Amino acid sequence: MIEIIFLDVDGCLTDGGLYYTNLGDELKKFNVNDGFGIEQWNKMGKISAIITGKSSKIVEKRAKDLKIKYIFQGVKDKFSVAEEILKKEGLGFENAAAIGDDYNDIKLLNNVKMSFKPSNAMSEIKADIMLSKKGGDGAVREMIEIIIKKEKLSDVWLEKWL
């Protein structure tokens, strides 16, 4: 059973764009549907974790807003961080799913039970499921709903919405 999802940020939770104001402030656009999906996943007693290569206060704020249990930024080796989280939780890669869109996600995607990539991910990235949604456009929500269906948790999922 999938108990934890590992989420990449740029290109998965966001569209991958970097936006700057005239004052040099960085902006990121997150999709509210992804957020609702993550919140419901967490309410089901499941675990969510962000592991991303960049560092940003914006990502930290979004993770706190969504009550994401783990957030690791500025990570070069996502696989090792995921391994540490799984060990801490008493889980294995057979209990994990991940979404990624670029080369630094490959090792993690190759080791989880279910791997996903947004429709606009690098073509060289191999995943079990290519989503119909682009990163930042509901891809994470789509991933979560696929997991819910495959794990036969639709009743529990819908119960959390009502």
Side-chain angles (χ1 to χ4, degrees):
M1 173 124 346
I2 303 295
E3 299 295 334
I4 187 168
I5 53 174
F6 295 113
L7 308 169
D8 178 43
V9 176
D10 294 317
C12 293
L13 278 170
T14 75
D15 62 8
L18 294 175
Y19 306 94
Y20 295 97
T21 67
N22 286 335
L23 299 174
D25 295 324
E26 182 181 339
L27 305 172
K28 291 183 184 284
K29 177 186 79 88
F30 294 94
N31 185 292
V32 71
N33 292 321
D34 287 339
F36 283 145
I38 293 167
E39 286 177 325
Q40 295 307 105
W41 176 260
N42 294 338
K43 285 180 184 177
M44 290 175 58
K46 304 293 186 176
I47 303 164
S48 52
I50 285 177
I51 306 175
T52 183
K54 278 190 84 223
S55 293
S56 168
K57 288 182 181 178
I58 298 167
V59 172
E60 187 177 321
K61 170 144 179 41
R62 184 66 173 153
K64 285 181 181 176
D65 288 348
L66 298 176
K67 297 176 179 60
I68 292 174
K69 187 169 185 178
Y70 295 99
I71 176 167
F72 289 88
Q73 299 192 77
V75 174
K76 294 221 181 281
D77 183 357
K78 293 182 180 188
F79 174 80
S80 294
V81 171
E83 200 169 37
E84 288 175 30
I85 294 169
L86 290 170
K87 184 182 249 186
K88 184 174 183 176
E89 292 293 334
L91 300 170
F93 281 101
E94 68 276 6
N95 305 114
I99 185 169
D101 69 319
D102 215 328
Y103 297 114
N104 60 343
D105 300 308
I106 291 173
K107 189 171 183 184
L108 180 56
L109 292 174
N110 286 341
N111 283 280
V112 294
K113 181 177 179 184
M114 294 176 70
S115 61
F116 298 84
K117 70 178 191 175
S119 63
N120 60 333
M122 300 287 299
S123 60
E124 297 84 1
I125 305 307
K126 304 296 179 231
D128 298 323
I129 298 170
M130 171 141 75
L131 301 163
S132 66
K133 304 278 186 184
K134 293 180 179 180
D137 221 10
V140 170
R141 171 72 171 270
E142 183 181 0
M143 174 187 89
I144 291 169
E145 289 187 351
I146 289 170
I147 294 169
I148 296 301
K149 286 178 188 154
K150 286 186 177 278
E151 301 275 314
K152 297 180 177 30
L153 294 170
S154 295
D155 290 343
V156 177
W157 170 257
L158 290 173
E159 178 182 294
K160 298 298 176 191
W161 287 95
L162 304 173

